[in-house]
Amino acid sequence: MVDTKTKTLGEILRHSGVSRRGFLKFCTATASMMALPPGMVPAIAAALDKARRPSVIWLSFQECTGCTESLTRSHSPSLENLIFDHISLDYHHTLQVASGDAAEAAREEAMHANAGSYLVVVDGSIPLGNPGYSTTAGFSNLQILEETAAGAAAVIAVGTCAAFGGLPKADPNPTGAVSVRDIVTDKPVINVSGCPPIPVVITGVLAHYLTFGTLPELDQYGRPKAFYGTSIHDRCYRRPFYDKGLFASTFDDEGARSGWCLYKLGCKGPMTYNACATAKWNEGTSWPVESGHGCLGCSQPDFWDAGGFYNALSIPVGELSRTVSYATAAGLGLGAVAAGINHRSKVEANRRHGEVTVDDLEKTS
Amino acid sequence: MTGATLERGLNAFKEQVDAPVAAFFSSCVNCGMCAEACLFYTETGDPKYTPIRKLEPLRRVWEQEYTVLGKLKKMLGLARPVTDELLQEWQELLYDSCTLCGRCAMVCPVGNDISYMVRKAREGMVASGNSPADVRSAAERAVRIGSPMGLKYKALAAQIKRIETESGIKIPLDVEGADYMPLLSSMEIINFPEYIEALARIFRQAKVSWTLCSEAFEATNTGIQIGSSDIARELVQRIVDGAEKLRVKCVIAPECGHAYTSIRWEGPNLIGRPFPFKVLHILELLDELRASGRIKTENLSNERMTFHDPCSIVRKGGVIDSPRELMAMVSTNFVEMQDHGKWNWCCGGGGGVSANTNAEALRLKVFKRKKDQIEQTGATKLITACANCRLVIEEGLEEYHVELPLEGLTELVAQHLVEDK
Amino acid sequence: MNESMDFLLWTRGTAFDVSVAIFIVGMLIRLFEIVSLGRGRDLAAPRGTEFLPGIRTILSRTLPYGGTFKRQPLTVIAGYLFHIGLLVSLLLFIPHIELFRETFGFGWPGLPNPIVDAAAVLGITGLLAALWNRLTNPVMKMLSDSEDYLVWILTFLPLLTGYLAYHRMINPYPLAMGLHILSIELLLVLFPFTKLMHTFTLFLARWYNGAMSGRRGVES
C-alpha cells in the first residue's frame, strides 16, 4: 500500500505498475485532447509526475450516479482511474466508507484544512422549487453547495445535470432545478457536460489543473474548449455521407447497414459539441454514432427538450401538425369574417353608386 | 345627378375592385417587365409610363379598403390617401398614355391583366371628374346627338343615297327580319364611306340578307373609351333596341376596334342580360363567307402588303386568324410584321387617346414604334381593319414623312371580289 | 447563460409555432379577402373556354416572352437564378424535406448536399443581382418602395443564414441554426401581409388572365 497522502502522482503510478512509456502515452494523449502543442508533453509529464494530491469534495445532488459510474466502472483499471484515485476524495457520498455525521465531519474538515485551495466537484442539479426535494443529512442541496463552494478554488460541474440542469430541469422542470452556474457566481465553474461525460474529459480537466495549477480555457457554456471546441458533426466519420446526401431512413435499411449518415434518424450531432467522435467510449471501443445510433445531444443544455430523439434536427420541437390544424381552423374562421367584411363593403359601394350621366362629368366645386 | 366629386370617384374605385384585381395587385412584385411591352415607355424611356404604375390610385383603394393591413394602416393614418391632386396627376397616365392595347397583360410574369384594371380605374376617374375634357365632350355628343363626331342620321342617309347612285346597289334600311345588321363607325360614314359600298357589294354577291338600322347605326361607344359603364350602357342599349326591333339574327361590328369590344364583349354585361342576337366582327363574317365558298376573289395583287392588327379586334377580341385568311384572298405577297397577331404593337391611338388633344404630341412620338415596325416589313401597302387605327397611322406616317397607302381589309376584299354582273 | 442553445430551442419551439400559426391564419385571411370580392358573371357569348386556357397561362407565364428577354435580360436571368436557387434549397435539401414530411406526412427525394449548396450560391448571386437591378434599372428604381426592399431582405436572410449554418461559418452552431430558423419565421410572419403573397396569388392572377383571354379565344 502506498501512502497516497504524501506520495506524488508519479510515485503512485509507478507503484501501480504503470510504465514510463504508458505514462508518457497518457500525457501525449492528454496534451493532444487539450490541443496543446507536442512540445508541452515533457512539461506535462514532469508536472504530473511531481503533482501532489489536491483535496476534492464531491457533492451529489439531483443525479443518477451515472457520472460517477462513467468514471469508476471502467472495464480495466485505467490511467483515468488512477488519476482519479490519486486525488484526495475527502467526501463522496457514493464512494466513501464513512456515513452520517462522520461523513459530514469529513467534508467540514477538508473545507477548513484546505480553505481556498480545494476543488468541489458537483454532479446533479439543484432544486429551488422546494428545498426538501433533495437533501443530505438534513441540509438542502442549495445550502450545501453555497457553503462548500464558498472556500473552494474552483467548482467542476460534472455531467449535464450539474452543468445545465439536465434531466431534472426538463420541461416542465417540476423541482425548479438549476445548474451549478446559476448558484455559484463568484468562483470559476468548469462545466464538464455530457450524460454522462467522457471519463478522459473529467481527468483531462483534473490533469490540466494538476499540471498548470490553473483551469483550462472555456467556451461560452463554461466547458473546456479543448474537449468541446468542435461539434460531433464536424468530427464524425459518417460526415462524408451527410455531404453526399446519403442518409439512413430506418435503423435496418440498406443505408443503416452501409453506415450512412443518421441525420434523418434524429442525430443531433450538428448542434452538439463534445469529444465523443475522437475520444470514444469504453477504452476507445466505440461511440454512439459508430454503434449505429444518432447522437442525442447530451452535452448540450436542454437536450431533453430539443425535440424527439428520433426526429431530424430540422423538425421543430412543438407539435407542428396540431399547430397547423388549430391555425387552419382559426384562419378559416377569421378568413370568413374578413370575407364577410369585404363583401359587405363592396355591396355598400355598389349601393352608393350614383348613375353617371353626361351631366356628371364636370367636377362640382 | 350631383356632378363629379372625389367621393363618388373613390366609391367607383371601390366598386370596381373585384377578385381578379385583388389577385393582380397581390401578385405584383414591381419587376417592371410591363414597361418593356408598352410603347409609351419604350419610345419615351420615361419610367413614369410603366403600365402597373398607372394603377396607383386603384391600388391604394384596394389596399386601404380590402386588405387587413391596409385597413389598419388607414385607421392609424399611415396610408397614403387618394386625393384629387393625385387623380389629376394620374389623368395623363390613365388616359393620355394608355390605349388599353393589353400588350402589357401578355408579358406580365405573374399574369396581371393591366388593361383590365386601367379600364376599371377610368370609372373612378370619370366619377371624380378627372377624365380628359375632349373625351368628355365626345361622350356628351354621343349621348345627346347620337355620335361622338356630332353626326346624325341625316349624314348617313346622304352617304347611302350617294353610294346607291354611284354603285347602283340598293342599300337595305330598316328591314325587319333581316339576318345581319351591320353597324358603322362615324369615321367610316365621314372618312371611309367606301366601307359601306364594299359591304353592299360583298353582301349582294353572297346573297346575304342584311339591313342598316336608321335608329342604331353608330357602333362607336365613348362610354367605353372614357371608362363609364353607365354612359356605355346607354349607348349599347340603343343598338340592342334597334336590333331587337328589326329582329335581326346577328349584329356586325364594323372595322373599329373599341366598337367591337363594346358590343361584343362588354355589351351584354352592361345591359345585364345576354343578347338575343349574335355579334360578329365583319372580318369574322367575311371569313365565314369565304370558308363556305359564298365569296371568291380574283386578280390577286402581288404588291408587298402587311397587316396592322387592331388591338381590340385581335389581341383583345380574338379575331386572329380571319384577317390572315382574308389577306390570302387578296394578296400573293403578304408579309407579317415582326410582332404580329396577339403580339402586335398598338398604333398609339386606341382607348380614346386619338380623341384626346392633350395626348397628341405623345401619341405622335410613340408612333415611331409602329412606323419602324411597318418599315421593317418593306411593304408598300398597309392594310388594317379599324378606322381609328387607320386615321392614327395616316397622321403618324405624315408626321414622320412616310408615304404609304392604307386600306381597310373589307374594301380590299370587295376590290378583288368575283361578282356576277 | 445558455443563450445560443436557448435561442435555438426557442426558434424551434414557441417561435416556430407562433410564426406558422400567423402564416396560416394570415394566408387564409388574405385568400378569403381576394376571393370574396368575386367576379361578375360574363354574359357575353364565349368564343372559347375558360378553364384550360387558364391552366395553360398558369404554366406558360413561367417562361418569359422573347421580346422581354431581349430588352431586360438581367431582370429575367436574376429572377430565374434566385427563384430556382431558392426553390431547390427550400424543397430539395434533405433536412427541409424531413420538416415537410413531419408537417404533411409525406416527403420526396432530395438532392445531394453539394448540389443544394451550389443552388444556394446561385440563389444568393441571383438575389444580389436582382437588388442591383432594382437599384439601377430606372423602371424598377421608380416602382420600388420600402416594401420591395423589405421582401428582398426577408428572402435573402434565409438563404444567407442557411448557407452560413450549413458551412458552419457562424459559431456556435446552435446560434447559426437558430438565426436561420428565425429568418424563416420572420419570412413566415410577414409573408401574408406583403407582396411575398405573389407566391400563391400568381396562380390566381395567371388563371384569371388566361381564363378571361381564353373566353375571347386568345391564348395569353
mmCIF file of all heavy atoms in Angstrom, chain A residues 200-240:
data_model
loop_
_atom_site.group_PDB
_atom_site.id
_atom_site.type_symbol
_atom_site.label_atom_id
_atom_site.label_comp_id
_atom_site.label_asym_id
_atom_site.label_seq_id
_atom_site.Cartn_x
_atom_site.Cartn_y
_atom_site.Cartn_z
ATOM 1 N N VAL A 200 -12.268 10.624 -19.889
ATOM 2 C CA VAL A 200 -10.998 11.305 -20.111
ATOM 3 C C VAL A 200 -11.161 12.823 -20.041
ATOM 4 O O VAL A 200 -10.214 13.543 -19.777
ATOM 5 C CB VAL A 200 -10.379 10.873 -21.461
ATOM 6 C CG1 VAL A 200 -11.145 11.476 -22.629
ATOM 7 C CG2 VAL A 200 -8.914 11.263 -21.547
ATOM 8 N N VAL A 201 -12.373 13.283 -20.239
ATOM 9 C CA VAL A 201 -12.589 14.726 -20.151
ATOM 10 C C VAL A 201 -12.513 15.161 -18.686
ATOM 11 O O VAL A 201 -11.923 16.191 -18.355
ATOM 12 C CB VAL A 201 -13.929 15.116 -20.788
ATOM 13 C CG1 VAL A 201 -14.192 16.602 -20.632
ATOM 14 C CG2 VAL A 201 -13.945 14.725 -22.260
ATOM 15 N N ILE A 202 -13.081 14.330 -17.805
ATOM 16 C CA ILE A 202 -13.017 14.669 -16.372
ATOM 17 C C ILE A 202 -11.557 14.663 -15.907
ATOM 18 O O ILE A 202 -11.069 15.613 -15.298
ATOM 19 C CB ILE A 202 -13.838 13.655 -15.536
ATOM 20 C CG1 ILE A 202 -15.276 13.586 -16.067
ATOM 21 C CG2 ILE A 202 -13.817 14.057 -14.069
ATOM 22 C CD1 ILE A 202 -16.132 12.526 -15.375
ATOM 23 N N THR A 203 -10.855 13.585 -16.254
ATOM 24 C CA THR A 203 -9.465 13.507 -15.799
ATOM 25 C C THR A 203 -8.599 14.514 -16.528
ATOM 26 O O THR A 203 -7.633 15.028 -15.964
ATOM 27 C CB THR A 203 -8.888 12.099 -16.023
ATOM 28 O OG1 THR A 203 -9.122 11.724 -17.371
ATOM 29 C CG2 THR A 203 -9.528 11.102 -15.091
ATOM 30 N N GLY A 204 -8.949 14.811 -17.756
ATOM 31 C CA GLY A 204 -8.199 15.806 -18.509
ATOM 32 C C GLY A 204 -8.225 17.157 -17.807
ATOM 33 O O GLY A 204 -7.213 17.842 -17.702
ATOM 34 N N VAL A 205 -9.425 17.516 -17.324
ATOM 35 C CA VAL A 205 -9.546 18.780 -16.604
ATOM 36 C C VAL A 205 -8.713 18.734 -15.331
ATOM 37 O O VAL A 205 -7.982 19.677 -14.995
ATOM 38 C CB VAL A 205 -11.024 19.077 -16.286
ATOM 39 C CG1 VAL A 205 -11.150 20.271 -15.372
ATOM 40 C CG2 VAL A 205 -11.790 19.307 -17.588
ATOM 41 N N LEU A 206 -8.803 17.590 -14.633
ATOM 42 C CA LEU A 206 -8.006 17.447 -13.407
ATOM 43 C C LEU A 206 -6.515 17.508 -13.740
ATOM 44 O O LEU A 206 -5.726 18.160 -13.053
ATOM 45 C CB LEU A 206 -8.335 16.124 -12.713
ATOM 46 C CG LEU A 206 -9.734 16.073 -12.076
ATOM 47 C CD1 LEU A 206 -10.046 14.643 -11.609
ATOM 48 C CD2 LEU A 206 -9.826 17.035 -10.897
ATOM 49 N N ALA A 207 -6.122 16.821 -14.843
ATOM 50 C CA ALA A 207 -4.717 16.813 -15.234
ATOM 51 C C ALA A 207 -4.238 18.230 -15.539
ATOM 52 O O ALA A 207 -3.133 18.614 -15.169
ATOM 53 C CB ALA A 207 -4.527 15.917 -16.464
ATOM 54 N N HIS A 208 -5.112 18.972 -16.201
ATOM 55 C CA HIS A 208 -4.747 20.350 -16.517
ATOM 56 C C HIS A 208 -4.509 21.130 -15.241
ATOM 57 O O HIS A 208 -3.531 21.882 -15.105
ATOM 58 C CB HIS A 208 -5.858 20.988 -17.346
ATOM 59 C CG HIS A 208 -5.498 22.323 -17.914
ATOM 60 N ND1 HIS A 208 -5.465 23.470 -17.165
ATOM 61 C CD2 HIS A 208 -5.120 22.694 -19.174
ATOM 62 C CE1 HIS A 208 -5.107 24.492 -17.923
ATOM 63 N NE2 HIS A 208 -4.875 24.028 -19.154
ATOM 64 N N TYR A 209 -5.411 20.914 -14.285
ATOM 65 C CA TYR A 209 -5.301 21.647 -13.021
ATOM 66 C C TYR A 209 -4.036 21.225 -12.284
ATOM 67 O O TYR A 209 -3.294 22.056 -11.764
ATOM 68 C CB TYR A 209 -6.548 21.403 -12.167
ATOM 69 C CG TYR A 209 -6.573 22.200 -10.893
ATOM 70 C CD1 TYR A 209 -6.762 23.580 -10.927
ATOM 71 C CD2 TYR A 209 -6.418 21.576 -9.651
ATOM 72 C CE1 TYR A 209 -6.777 24.322 -9.753
ATOM 73 C CE2 TYR A 209 -6.447 22.307 -8.478
ATOM 74 C CZ TYR A 209 -6.622 23.678 -8.528
ATOM 75 O OH TYR A 209 -6.638 24.413 -7.368
ATOM 76 N N LEU A 210 -3.776 19.922 -12.299
ATOM 77 C CA LEU A 210 -2.587 19.416 -11.616
ATOM 78 C C LEU A 210 -1.319 19.927 -12.298
ATOM 79 O O LEU A 210 -0.334 20.237 -11.658
ATOM 80 C CB LEU A 210 -2.583 17.879 -11.624
ATOM 81 C CG LEU A 210 -3.676 17.211 -10.780
ATOM 82 C CD1 LEU A 210 -3.642 15.692 -10.975
ATOM 83 C CD2 LEU A 210 -3.513 17.563 -9.306
ATOM 84 N N THR A 211 -1.336 19.990 -13.619
ATOM 85 C CA THR A 211 -0.149 20.388 -14.370
ATOM 86 C C THR A 211 0.138 21.874 -14.235
ATOM 87 O O THR A 211 1.235 22.294 -13.914
ATOM 88 C CB THR A 211 -0.338 20.092 -15.870
ATOM 89 O OG1 THR A 211 -0.724 18.739 -16.020
ATOM 90 C CG2 THR A 211 0.944 20.349 -16.644
ATOM 91 N N PHE A 212 -0.881 22.651 -14.512
ATOM 92 C CA PHE A 212 -0.646 24.097 -14.617
ATOM 93 C C PHE A 212 -1.114 24.867 -13.392
ATOM 94 O O PHE A 212 -0.818 26.052 -13.244
ATOM 95 C CB PHE A 212 -1.371 24.653 -15.848
ATOM 96 C CG PHE A 212 -0.941 24.009 -17.131
ATOM 97 C CD1 PHE A 212 -1.766 23.128 -17.802
ATOM 98 C CD2 PHE A 212 0.320 24.272 -17.659
ATOM 99 C CE1 PHE A 212 -1.376 22.532 -18.978
ATOM 100 C CE2 PHE A 212 0.727 23.669 -18.840
ATOM 101 C CZ PHE A 212 -0.108 22.792 -19.509
ATOM 102 N N GLY A 213 -1.886 24.191 -12.524
ATOM 103 C CA GLY A 213 -2.410 24.902 -11.365
ATOM 104 C C GLY A 213 -3.473 25.908 -11.764
ATOM 105 O O GLY A 213 -3.906 26.736 -10.970
ATOM 106 N N THR A 214 -3.882 25.863 -13.028
ATOM 107 C CA THR A 214 -4.925 26.792 -13.472
ATOM 108 C C THR A 214 -6.016 25.979 -14.137
ATOM 109 O O THR A 214 -5.869 24.781 -14.366
ATOM 110 C CB THR A 214 -4.391 27.777 -14.521
ATOM 111 O OG1 THR A 214 -3.882 27.007 -15.602
ATOM 112 C CG2 THR A 214 -3.322 28.688 -13.961
ATOM 113 N N LEU A 215 -7.095 26.665 -14.489
ATOM 114 C CA LEU A 215 -8.198 25.990 -15.158
ATOM 115 C C LEU A 215 -8.070 26.198 -16.663
ATOM 116 O O LEU A 215 -7.550 27.222 -17.103
ATOM 117 C CB LEU A 215 -9.517 26.551 -14.646
ATOM 118 C CG LEU A 215 -9.710 26.264 -13.157
ATOM 119 C CD1 LEU A 215 -10.840 27.084 -12.585
ATOM 120 C CD2 LEU A 215 -9.953 24.773 -12.933
ATOM 121 N N PRO A 216 -8.528 25.224 -17.451
ATOM 122 C CA PRO A 216 -8.387 25.349 -18.904
ATOM 123 C C PRO A 216 -9.280 26.445 -19.486
ATOM 124 O O PRO A 216 -10.197 26.917 -18.820
ATOM 125 C CB PRO A 216 -8.829 23.960 -19.420
ATOM 126 C CG PRO A 216 -9.700 23.415 -18.352
ATOM 127 C CD PRO A 216 -9.213 23.981 -17.054
ATOM 128 N N GLU A 217 -9.000 26.800 -20.715
ATOM 129 C CA GLU A 217 -9.805 27.809 -21.403
ATOM 130 C C GLU A 217 -11.206 27.251 -21.664
ATOM 131 O O GLU A 217 -11.354 26.095 -22.058
ATOM 132 C CB GLU A 217 -9.132 28.153 -22.744
ATOM 133 C CG GLU A 217 -9.620 29.457 -23.332
ATOM 134 C CD GLU A 217 -9.158 29.619 -24.774
ATOM 135 O OE1 GLU A 217 -8.229 28.895 -25.206
ATOM 136 O OE2 GLU A 217 -9.754 30.462 -25.466
ATOM 137 N N LEU A 218 -12.231 28.087 -21.443
ATOM 138 C CA LEU A 218 -13.609 27.599 -21.522
ATOM 139 C C LEU A 218 -14.361 28.208 -22.703
ATOM 140 O O LEU A 218 -14.047 29.312 -23.148
ATOM 141 C CB LEU A 218 -14.347 27.948 -20.224
ATOM 142 C CG LEU A 218 -13.682 27.464 -18.927
ATOM 143 C CD1 LEU A 218 -14.497 27.922 -17.727
ATOM 144 C CD2 LEU A 218 -13.515 25.950 -18.910
ATOM 145 N N ASP A 219 -15.371 27.472 -23.167
ATOM 146 C CA ASP A 219 -16.225 28.033 -24.220
ATOM 147 C C ASP A 219 -17.369 28.819 -23.592
ATOM 148 O O ASP A 219 -17.406 29.014 -22.369
ATOM 149 C CB ASP A 219 -16.737 26.918 -25.158
ATOM 150 C CG ASP A 219 -17.807 26.033 -24.507
ATOM 151 O OD1 ASP A 219 -18.169 26.281 -23.323
ATOM 152 O OD2 ASP A 219 -18.278 25.092 -25.167
ATOM 153 N N GLN A 220 -18.323 29.275 -24.396
ATOM 154 C CA GLN A 220 -19.362 30.140 -23.845
ATOM 155 C C GLN A 220 -20.287 29.424 -22.861
ATOM 156 O O GLN A 220 -21.042 30.058 -22.152
ATOM 157 C CB GLN A 220 -20.181 30.787 -24.972
ATOM 158 C CG GLN A 220 -20.967 29.767 -25.743
ATOM 159 C CD GLN A 220 -22.185 30.321 -26.440
ATOM 160 O OE1 GLN A 220 -22.713 29.680 -27.301
ATOM 161 N NE2 GLN A 220 -22.643 31.502 -26.045
ATOM 162 N N TYR A 221 -20.226 28.092 -22.863
ATOM 163 C CA TYR A 221 -21.023 27.350 -21.894
ATOM 164 C C TYR A 221 -20.178 26.960 -20.692
ATOM 165 O O TYR A 221 -20.579 26.097 -19.917
ATOM 166 C CB TYR A 221 -21.596 26.081 -22.521
ATOM 167 C CG TYR A 221 -22.553 26.342 -23.643
ATOM 168 C CD1 TYR A 221 -22.393 25.743 -24.880
ATOM 169 C CD2 TYR A 221 -23.638 27.195 -23.446
ATOM 170 C CE1 TYR A 221 -23.277 25.985 -25.907
ATOM 171 C CE2 TYR A 221 -24.524 27.447 -24.478
ATOM 172 C CZ TYR A 221 -24.345 26.839 -25.706
ATOM 173 O OH TYR A 221 -25.224 27.086 -26.714
ATOM 174 N N GLY A 222 -18.967 27.536 -20.558
ATOM 175 C CA GLY A 222 -18.103 27.214 -19.435
ATOM 176 C C GLY A 222 -17.480 25.842 -19.550
ATOM 177 O O GLY A 222 -17.066 25.248 -18.557
ATOM 178 N N ARG A 223 -17.414 25.295 -20.760
ATOM 179 C CA ARG A 223 -16.828 23.971 -20.950
ATOM 180 C C ARG A 223 -15.412 24.115 -21.500
ATOM 181 O O ARG A 223 -15.147 25.046 -22.264
ATOM 182 C CB ARG A 223 -17.662 23.159 -21.955
ATOM 183 C CG ARG A 223 -19.106 23.030 -21.564
ATOM 184 C CD ARG A 223 -19.901 22.233 -22.570
ATOM 185 N NE ARG A 223 -19.959 22.861 -23.879
ATOM 186 C CZ ARG A 223 -20.860 22.554 -24.806
ATOM 187 N NH1 ARG A 223 -21.766 21.611 -24.559
ATOM 188 N NH2 ARG A 223 -20.854 23.158 -25.976
ATOM 189 N N PRO A 224 -14.513 23.206 -21.131
ATOM 190 C CA PRO A 224 -13.145 23.307 -21.643
ATOM 191 C C PRO A 224 -13.162 23.246 -23.176
ATOM 192 O O PRO A 224 -13.670 22.294 -23.756
ATOM 193 C CB PRO A 224 -12.446 22.077 -21.073
ATOM 194 C CG PRO A 224 -13.292 21.646 -19.929
ATOM 195 C CD PRO A 224 -14.689 22.060 -20.227
ATOM 196 N N LYS A 225 -12.628 24.261 -23.775
ATOM 197 C CA LYS A 225 -12.631 24.341 -25.236
ATOM 198 C C LYS A 225 -11.925 23.152 -25.854
ATOM 199 O O LYS A 225 -12.276 22.710 -26.953
ATOM 200 C CB LYS A 225 -11.930 25.628 -25.684
ATOM 201 C CG LYS A 225 -12.880 26.785 -25.841
ATOM 202 C CD LYS A 225 -12.195 27.916 -26.583
ATOM 203 C CE LYS A 225 -13.164 29.053 -26.809
ATOM 204 N NZ LYS A 225 -12.473 30.309 -27.078
ATOM 205 N N ALA A 226 -10.890 22.668 -25.140
ATOM 206 C CA ALA A 226 -10.099 21.577 -25.695
ATOM 207 C C ALA A 226 -10.975 20.376 -26.031
ATOM 208 O O ALA A 226 -10.755 19.687 -27.013
ATOM 209 C CB ALA A 226 -9.019 21.178 -24.708
ATOM 210 N N PHE A 227 -12.002 20.150 -25.228
ATOM 211 C CA PHE A 227 -12.840 18.965 -25.458
ATOM 212 C C PHE A 227 -14.147 19.295 -26.172
ATOM 213 O O PHE A 227 -14.752 18.440 -26.809
ATOM 214 C CB PHE A 227 -13.166 18.285 -24.121
ATOM 215 C CG PHE A 227 -11.928 17.853 -23.388
ATOM 216 C CD1 PHE A 227 -11.480 18.548 -22.276
ATOM 217 C CD2 PHE A 227 -11.197 16.766 -23.843
ATOM 218 C CE1 PHE A 227 -10.332 18.158 -21.618
ATOM 219 C CE2 PHE A 227 -10.036 16.375 -23.188
ATOM 220 C CZ PHE A 227 -9.602 17.078 -22.068
ATOM 221 N N TYR A 228 -14.614 20.527 -26.001
ATOM 222 C CA TYR A 228 -15.933 20.877 -26.536
ATOM 223 C C TYR A 228 -15.846 21.904 -27.679
ATOM 224 O O TYR A 228 -16.807 22.560 -28.007
ATOM 225 C CB TYR A 228 -16.824 21.435 -25.418
ATOM 226 C CG TYR A 228 -17.106 20.428 -24.322
ATOM 227 C CD1 TYR A 228 -16.288 20.354 -23.192
ATOM 228 C CD2 TYR A 228 -18.192 19.561 -24.428
ATOM 229 C CE1 TYR A 228 -16.555 19.431 -22.190
ATOM 230 C CE2 TYR A 228 -18.460 18.642 -23.420
ATOM 231 C CZ TYR A 228 -17.632 18.576 -22.300
ATOM 232 O OH TYR A 228 -17.899 17.675 -21.320
ATOM 233 N N GLY A 229 -14.646 21.995 -28.229
ATOM 234 C CA GLY A 229 -14.434 23.041 -29.245
ATOM 235 C C GLY A 229 -15.062 22.735 -30.595
ATOM 236 O O GLY A 229 -15.404 23.639 -31.339
ATOM 237 N N THR A 230 -15.195 21.454 -30.907
ATOM 238 C CA THR A 230 -15.782 21.127 -32.215
ATOM 239 C C THR A 230 -17.003 20.246 -32.015
ATOM 240 O O THR A 230 -17.136 19.549 -31.012
ATOM 241 C CB THR A 230 -14.789 20.365 -33.121
ATOM 242 O OG1 THR A 230 -14.125 19.405 -32.330
ATOM 243 C CG2 THR A 230 -13.800 21.300 -33.769
ATOM 244 N N SER A 231 -17.860 20.278 -33.023
ATOM 245 C CA SER A 231 -19.099 19.536 -32.887
ATOM 246 C C SER A 231 -18.894 18.072 -33.258
ATOM 247 O O SER A 231 -17.929 17.723 -33.942
ATOM 248 C CB SER A 231 -20.163 20.143 -33.790
ATOM 249 O OG SER A 231 -19.864 19.834 -35.127
ATOM 250 N N ILE A 232 -19.799 17.266 -32.790
ATOM 251 C CA ILE A 232 -19.822 15.848 -33.150
ATOM 252 C C ILE A 232 -19.832 15.723 -34.682
ATOM 253 O O ILE A 232 -19.097 14.947 -35.267
ATOM 254 C CB ILE A 232 -21.103 15.194 -32.580
ATOM 255 C CG1 ILE A 232 -21.114 15.259 -31.057
ATOM 256 C CG2 ILE A 232 -21.277 13.778 -33.096
ATOM 257 C CD1 ILE A 232 -20.104 14.387 -30.378
ATOM 258 N N HIS A 233 -20.665 16.547 -35.306
ATOM 259 C CA HIS A 233 -20.857 16.516 -36.749
ATOM 260 C C HIS A 233 -19.545 16.764 -37.505
ATOM 261 O O HIS A 233 -19.236 16.096 -38.479
ATOM 262 C CB HIS A 233 -21.877 17.609 -37.090
ATOM 263 C CG HIS A 233 -22.336 17.652 -38.510
ATOM 264 N ND1 HIS A 233 -23.046 16.646 -39.090
ATOM 265 C CD2 HIS A 233 -22.197 18.626 -39.452
ATOM 266 C CE1 HIS A 233 -23.343 16.987 -40.341
ATOM 267 N NE2 HIS A 233 -22.818 18.178 -40.580
ATOM 268 N N ASP A 234 -18.776 17.737 -37.011
ATOM 269 C CA ASP A 234 -17.543 18.098 -37.709
ATOM 270 C C ASP A 234 -16.483 17.014 -37.614
ATOM 271 O O ASP A 234 -15.594 16.933 -38.453
ATOM 272 C CB ASP A 234 -16.983 19.407 -37.143
ATOM 273 C CG ASP A 234 -17.791 20.597 -37.616
ATOM 274 O OD1 ASP A 234 -18.437 20.473 -38.660
ATOM 275 O OD2 ASP A 234 -17.781 21.635 -36.919
ATOM 276 N N ARG A 235 -16.550 16.216 -36.556
ATOM 277 C CA ARG A 235 -15.538 15.189 -36.380
ATOM 278 C C ARG A 235 -16.065 13.799 -36.730
ATOM 279 O O ARG A 235 -15.364 12.809 -36.576
ATOM 280 C CB ARG A 235 -15.067 15.171 -34.905
ATOM 281 C CG ARG A 235 -14.223 16.371 -34.524
ATOM 282 C CD ARG A 235 -12.829 16.209 -35.111
ATOM 283 N NE ARG A 235 -12.019 17.407 -34.965
ATOM 284 C CZ ARG A 235 -11.322 17.690 -33.874
ATOM 285 N NH1 ARG A 235 -11.345 16.886 -32.853
ATOM 286 N NH2 ARG A 235 -10.617 18.788 -33.825
ATOM 287 N N CYS A 236 -17.329 13.746 -37.176
ATOM 288 C CA CYS A 236 -17.966 12.443 -37.358
ATOM 289 C C CYS A 236 -17.406 11.729 -38.585
ATOM 290 O O CYS A 236 -17.283 12.312 -39.657
ATOM 291 C CB CYS A 236 -19.469 12.625 -37.524
ATOM 292 S SG CYS A 236 -20.354 11.073 -37.725
ATOM 293 N N TYR A 237 -17.100 10.440 -38.409
ATOM 294 C CA TYR A 237 -16.556 9.691 -39.559
ATOM 295 C C TYR A 237 -17.641 9.444 -40.604
ATOM 296 O O TYR A 237 -17.351 9.066 -41.728
ATOM 297 C CB TYR A 237 -15.944 8.365 -39.080
ATOM 298 C CG TYR A 237 -16.975 7.316 -38.716
ATOM 299 C CD1 TYR A 237 -17.252 6.272 -39.579
ATOM 300 C CD2 TYR A 237 -17.694 7.410 -37.530
ATOM 301 C CE1 TYR A 237 -18.225 5.331 -39.271
ATOM 302 C CE2 TYR A 237 -18.664 6.483 -37.216
ATOM 303 C CZ TYR A 237 -18.924 5.443 -38.084
ATOM 304 O OH TYR A 237 -19.882 4.533 -37.786
ATOM 305 N N ARG A 238 -18.928 9.667 -40.238
ATOM 306 C CA ARG A 238 -20.000 9.498 -41.229
ATOM 307 C C ARG A 238 -20.297 10.798 -41.982
ATOM 308 O O ARG A 238 -21.197 10.847 -42.813
ATOM 309 C CB ARG A 238 -21.289 9.014 -40.555
ATOM 310 C CG ARG A 238 -21.163 7.647 -39.915
ATOM 311 C CD ARG A 238 -22.541 7.065 -39.602
ATOM 312 N NE ARG A 238 -22.425 5.840 -38.818
ATOM 313 C CZ ARG A 238 -23.322 4.866 -38.829
ATOM 314 N NH1 ARG A 238 -24.409 4.971 -39.567
ATOM 315 N NH2 ARG A 238 -23.141 3.793 -38.087
ATOM 316 N N ARG A 239 -19.553 11.827 -41.665
ATOM 317 C CA ARG A 239 -19.797 13.138 -42.270
ATOM 318 C C ARG A 239 -19.796 13.100 -43.811
ATOM 319 O O ARG A 239 -20.634 13.752 -44.455
ATOM 320 C CB ARG A 239 -18.771 14.146 -41.752
ATOM 321 C CG ARG A 239 -18.840 15.534 -42.386
ATOM 322 C CD ARG A 239 -20.141 16.235 -42.006
ATOM 323 N NE ARG A 239 -20.212 17.544 -42.645
ATOM 324 C CZ ARG A 239 -19.674 18.641 -42.132
ATOM 325 N NH1 ARG A 239 -19.063 18.602 -40.950
ATOM 326 N NH2 ARG A 239 -19.764 19.773 -42.770
ATOM 327 N N PRO A 240 -18.879 12.349 -44.440
ATOM 328 C CA PRO A 240 -18.895 12.339 -45.915
ATOM 329 C C PRO A 240 -20.245 11.906 -46.490
ATOM 330 O O PRO A 240 -20.647 12.371 -47.553
ATOM 331 C CB PRO A 240 -17.818 11.320 -46.279
ATOM 332 C CG PRO A 240 -16.896 11.317 -45.108
ATOM 333 C CD PRO A 240 -17.762 11.563 -43.909
#
